[in-house]
Amino acid sequence: MKALSLAKLPELFSLVASKEALYIPADDGAGSARFTRYAEGLEMTDKLNTVRSAKDFFFPQTENLVDFKVKGKEIEISDPRTEHEDFVLFGVRACDARSFSILDKVFLVDPVDTYYQSRREHGTVVTLACTKPEETCFCSVFGIDAAAPEGDARCFIEGETVYFEALSEKGEAFLETISPLLSDSDDSAVKAQQEKTREILAKLPLKSLSLEGFGAESLLKLFDSEKWAELSESCLGCGTCTFVCPTCQCYDIRDFDTGNGVKRFRCWDSCMYSDFTKKKGI
Amino acid sequence: MVEKLEAMTPDERFAFWRNELSRCIRCNACRNVCPACSCEQCVFDNNNSGIAQKAAADSFEENMFHIIRAFHVAGRCTDCGECSRVCPQNIPLHLLNRKFIKDIDSFYGEYQAGEDTESRAPLTNYTEGDVEPNIIYERGNN
């Protein structure tokens, strides 16, 4: 375990940002937090979570896939990708961190999505343990431990100290980058914090939420439930639930006519949209 | 707030709206909830329109989507404020509509959209006393 004085966190941010792009959750001035590229003076938010999930960094809302240029009878095909820069995503919570392994199961299996893969390879995820979960939190139901998040490295803010721990090679490299600022420490403060957090987690109202009754075999029965009639009345079909969802991964591929060619791009799609069912129609 | 925006220089106003509209995720909740948005199928949802779109391609589209939508509902917007209330990104969209409401009130007399469904609304009616387009030059930045 490594330690750093909390007051020196801005120094750490500056050091990281001098080597690669750094994103931290910061207040957006409109009452919410969002992951923002670090610039001198930017402060980390006090809010538990960002509105938009951290999936945006690996699976952005829009992404150009391929360009076609027409010259007479020739069609020139080019890959619009530029080499991604290395980046550090700092302060990701345990719930968001778990979403990456779920997205990996979709995008990193054969055929591998090389756009997603490239972003994953260039990103280092540094998670932050929760100490004050909301009453609406229920990550433990899904086997997530908010007191010990996954990630390339994780950190714990306890009192006036930030503790760091590497969990992967990329995490080791991250700690190496910031090593001039770190000192060795034992893990007793972190252990005590985890114990306290887990006690809170055990008392949360949704702690005993049962997942029984979900699953392929009961899908049709749930689909036909009468409850949907009333629930769906207030739905606007805006798809925001799917946009902010850390694990929603549906996308649409469209062609943009540039006049002398086509830019093929993908953008998030949503099962809440009218043409979604038409397109994927059985 | 509209007066505050009107008092800004064009650059300040542009910066204000860029900051607000840059948060748009184009979920269309404002459009879907709007009682004055009355197309049965939006051009952006119609694959045959050639401009069907699920995300703003760039900052220009990010701006213009909301500005043009405000133009489209001008004279019919009742100032219910639902667009701002449903916005998951807290964009004060109703301010665009309020600017139109203010202008309609000052050019055509006090008007409350939705109050009277029998007579013609100011923007769908022509009278000889209507303001000329060159009003824009007289009003300067406002």
Side-chain angles (χ1 to χ4, degrees):
Chain A
M1 193 75 54
K2 301 281 181 189
L4 169 86
S5 153
L6 185 59
K8 284 196 166 172
L9 200 55
E11 221 172 292
L12 180 142
F13 288 155
S14 297
L15 178 61
V16 177
S18 71
K19 313 224 162 170
E20 51 193 313
L22 167 69
Y23 297 89
I24 65 168
D27 289 324
D28 66 0
S32 316
R34 62 171 150 176
F35 282 99
T36 312
R37 188 161 182 156
Y38 182 78
E40 216 61 42
L42 188 70
E43 282 177 26
M44 203 155 76
T45 179
D46 289 333
K47 296 197 166 53
L48 183 65
N49 230 326
T50 51
V51 174
R52 291 178 67 156
S53 90
K55 82 171 172 189
D56 300 24
F57 289 91
F58 304 117
F59 176 44
Q61 184 164 14
T62 58
E63 186 168 29
N64 289 342
L65 301 179
V66 58
D67 290 351
F68 301 93
K69 241 188 192 156
V70 182
K71 280 184 198 155
K73 285 185 176 172
E74 306 260 301
I75 296 181
E76 190 187 305
I77 302 172
S78 60
D79 189 338
R81 276 183 283 188
T82 45
E83 188 55 40
H84 288 303
E85 55 180 356
D86 285 339
F87 64 96
V88 172
L89 205 48
F90 188 93
V92 179
R93 296 294 184 175
C95 43
D96 269 353
R98 173 64 59 86
S99 77
F100 304 145
S101 45
I102 294 169
L103 293 176
D104 286 352
K105 283 185 194 165
V106 177
F107 290 118
L108 296 185
V109 292
D110 193 41
V112 169
D113 185 306
T114 53
Y115 298 86
Y116 175 87
Q117 186 184 38
S118 164
R119 291 176 196 274
R120 279 291 270 149
E121 282 170 359
H122 284 86
T124 301
V125 176
V126 182
T127 49
L128 172 61
C130 296
T131 52
K132 288 179 189 152
E134 300 268 5
E135 276 194 358
T136 45
C137 285
F138 52 87
C139 63
S140 59
V141 176
F142 294 92
I144 297 167
D145 185 357
E150 326 174 343
D152 292 311
R154 61 183 168 215
C155 64
F156 307 82
I157 298 178
E158 179 58 38
E160 290 306 308
T161 312
V162 196
Y163 297 90
F164 288 90
E165 189 177 12
L167 301 169
S168 73
E169 269 180 36
K170 272 197 270 183
E172 299 278 0
F174 172 74
L175 288 200
E176 187 56 40
T177 308
I178 57 171
S179 60
L181 295 170
L182 300 179
S183 57
D184 285 323
S185 163
D186 67 20
D187 56 3
S188 56
V190 167
K191 282 234 161 75
Q193 182 200 71
Q194 288 179 318
E195 211 169 291
K196 246 167 70 186
T197 308
R198 284 173 190 144
E199 267 173 38
I200 301 171
L201 290 168
K203 285 185 202 152
L204 292 180
L206 297 173
K207 160 82 181 117
S208 313
L209 189 73
S210 170
L211 299 181
E212 235 171 83
F214 290 97
E217 64 290 346
S218 45
L219 200 61
L220 264 184
K221 210 179 117 215
L222 291 170
F223 185 80
D224 291 330
S225 167
E226 287 171 5
K227 285 179 186 157
W228 294 117
E230 195 191 330
L231 284 171
S232 63
E233 269 181 21
S234 56
C235 174
L236 299 173
C238 69
T240 298
C241 52
T242 60
F243 280 11
V244 299
C245 174
T247 58
C248 267
Q249 78 290 108
C250 285
Y251 59 83
D252 191 6
I253 295 180
R254 286 177 179 262
D255 286 349
F256 177 75
D257 187 350
T258 60
N260 61 352
V262 158
K263 275 184 182 299
R264 181 163 296 168
F265 67 99
R266 71 167 159 197
C267 60
W268 291 347
D269 204 348
S270 171
C271 49
M272 298 290 132
Y273 294 159
S274 56
D275 68 344
F276 186 89
T277 337
K278 276 186 210 152
K279 212 169 298 158
K280 281 82 182 174
I282 310 159
Chain B
M1 189 62 198
V2 171
E3 278 174 6
K4 212 167 127 190
L5 282 169
E6 285 174 341
M8 289 180 181
T9 67
D11 282 348
E12 283 168 351
R13 200 156 50 233
F14 185 79
F16 171 85
W17 281 112
R18 267 316 292 147
N19 178 42
E20 296 294 340
L21 296 175
S22 66
R23 293 198 302 275
C24 175
I25 55 174
R26 211 39 199 279
C27 68
N28 294 322
C30 49
R31 177 197 74 184
N32 295 3
V33 81
C34 180
C37 235
S38 52
C39 291
E40 279 177 20
Q41 190 180 31
C42 180
V43 286
F44 295 114
D45 287 347
N46 180 358
N47 284 323
N48 298 324
S49 72
I51 53 163
Q53 189 67 284
K54 292 195 175 90
D58 51 27
S59 58
F60 180 76
E61 245 184 65
E62 234 166 36
N63 294 342
M64 295 318 285
F65 174 74
H66 293 290
I67 293 169
I68 291 173
R69 213 186 71 75
F71 263 106
H72 284 187
V73 298
R76 294 183 292 122
C77 169
T78 61
D79 195 22
C80 73
E82 281 294 299
C83 45
S84 294
R85 191 185 65 85
V86 297
C87 179
Q89 295 288 84
N90 299 320
I91 303 170
L93 292 162
H94 66 287
L95 293 177
L96 290 171
N97 305 110
R98 283 205 174 150
K99 166 67 177 160
F100 284 107
I101 290 171
K102 182 172 177 281
D103 282 356
I104 290 169
D105 280 349
S106 61
F107 292 141
Y108 302 94
E110 286 287 314
Y111 176 71
Q112 172 58 52
E115 201 173 44
D116 171 10
T117 54
E118 298 303 316
S119 51
R120 295 180 74 99
L123 295 186
T124 52
N125 199 23
Y126 172 75
T127 67
E128 283 184 3
D130 282 356
V131 286
E132 297 295 331
N134 66 1
I135 184 84
I136 190 154
Y137 300 114
E138 290 162 28
R139 300 171 73 220
N141 286 336
N142 292 334

